[in-house]
Amino acid sequence: MRASSRFAAGLALAGAFLTGVDAAIQTVTRSGRYLYTADGNRFYIKGVAYQEQGAVVASTSNPFLEPSTFIDPLSDGTACTRDLPYLQQLGVNTIRAYSVNSSLNHDSCMQTFSNAGIYTIIDLSLPGNGSMDRNAPTWTTNLLDLYIETINVFSKYNNVLAYNVGNEVVIQTNGTAAATFIKAAARDVKAYLNSIKSSALVGYASIDGAATLLDPLANYLSCDPSGSNSGATAIDLFGLNNYEWCGNSTFEAAYAGVEGDFAGYNVAAYFSEYGCITSPPRLWTEVGALFSSQMSPVWSGGVAFSYFPATSAQGQFGMVTISSDGSTVTTSSDFTNLQTQYAAASPPNSPLQSGAGAASYPSCPQQNSSWLASTTLPPTPNYAACQCLENNLSCQFTPSTNNYTAIVGALLDYACTLIGQSGGSCAAISSNGATGQYGAVSECDPTIMLSYVMSDYYIATGANAQSCSFGGNGTVNSKAPSSASAANAAASSCLASASGTSVPTLPAGAPSPAGSSSSSGGGSSSSPNAASVVLADARTLMGMGVVVAVGIASGLWTIA
């Protein structure tokens, strides 16, 4: 370990590094399969993962040791200023943040990194209930609103390179139907970015795997289902979490296969994570290969994992340790070795942007036994339609406990079991990425789904008040239709605009992009707006779709 420096010394060093830096960081855009800065130079991501690890609970259901909580790395201006000299010593131009809290202030960190010429790749998901569940994915209003609100908060910063709509959602062939929801997320996020005239790219970070999984996944996320060479549903940036190069390996042993697999890929690709930990300290000799003329025709750099300590199923990662009082940074051999390799990296400035070629979007992979994703995508979740529906439902979910996330799933199972026993169906709240069939209410958040099936049962039993109780968690809506025909008519009217695609909008009360006032130095907004309330519910409720899909899969109700 190298001698650590105190925070005061770090501040002085930060000032030295910032001298003469142009605060107007250049915009990075994609031309064909390559990235370029505004002056026409090829841009390579020379990055590091920058996120302290949250709480990790090891269990059979968490084989990857994914955290259940998170620490927003871009909300603590003091910590970002502390770390800046070390990031500059590493020579990075990009950091990847895996989870951020849109209710906090990020001005200090984002400005600090922008002034230093450092871009950010921001994952839009949150651990647990704020992520697309790989076992039972959905694309609903609360997840879309969570994504859009994060973009809304970060749209005022000039150093957001890309937003990731997912990380390792698809990990095996029997879960490839989840790709339809990832692609729908990319479609809607891209539409929103275009509507606010943002140049940020839309990305996805994939687990590494066999070519039989990786090839169709990458091609599906960058394809055009319409066959009209449109990029409306395609990602801009495919990230591969690749740990194949261990120790002092070689291109032939570690990268030749994946290089060939992506040789003809149509959008930009990079290693969204790399840095095998099996033989510490890490030598990082893969940097020389990744930024060489041999790999630059295919790859646009990568993100080394991880600046902060992190535990995973592979082992213990990390290049620095932070003292308990947060003031001291101590670097390791991993840090020094990466610093040396990044300093030596000199990728070619080719092809010229004028020769990068026009964007092309091929047809999508055909479904087969190992690739299940349909080219019929879920609709754009419509918040207004779902709210209209909720207001017109005869039996509304009014939980008897503040911890209502603990009961929504069980109540959905129970309500749909009752409906199934009476000959009905919960198809309206189901979604299937393999068949391309999505129930009319499947885009709404789980509490509205629950109110919908509770209302269905309530009306089916003759509008008996007791049928709306559900253990004291339901209340009859006296203003809603009480007959089946009137209820169906009201629901149909609300959901008439909820099919197909549209440009997403934020819920009422949200500030316009880059229009919210905020103070520097970090901390929460003093007066939360309506969108903050909606998104607080979104973060809490995102996992409920899992229960819905599990209930369907286990046969608890009939799918029409």
Side-chain angles (χ1 to χ4, degrees), residues 390-413:
E390 183 178 36
N391 292 336
N392 283 278
L393 291 174
S394 303
C395 178
Q396 295 180 329
F397 175 52
T398 53
S400 58
T401 173
N402 290 331
N403 186 25
Y404 56 90
T405 60
I407 63 174
V408 171
L411 286 173
L412 273 167
D413 275 351

Side-chain angles (χ1 to χ4, degrees), residues 40 51 220 391 472 501 524 555:
Q51 182 121 19
Y220 180 85
N391 292 336
T501 60
S524 301

Side-chain angles (χ1 to χ4, degrees), residues 183 219-220 222-226 233 362-367 371 375:
K183 196 168 180 68
N219 291 329
Y220 180 85
S222 64
C223 73
D224 174 23
S226 71
T233 67
S363 58
C364 298
Q366 295 295 310
Q367 288 179 296
W371 182 253
T375 54

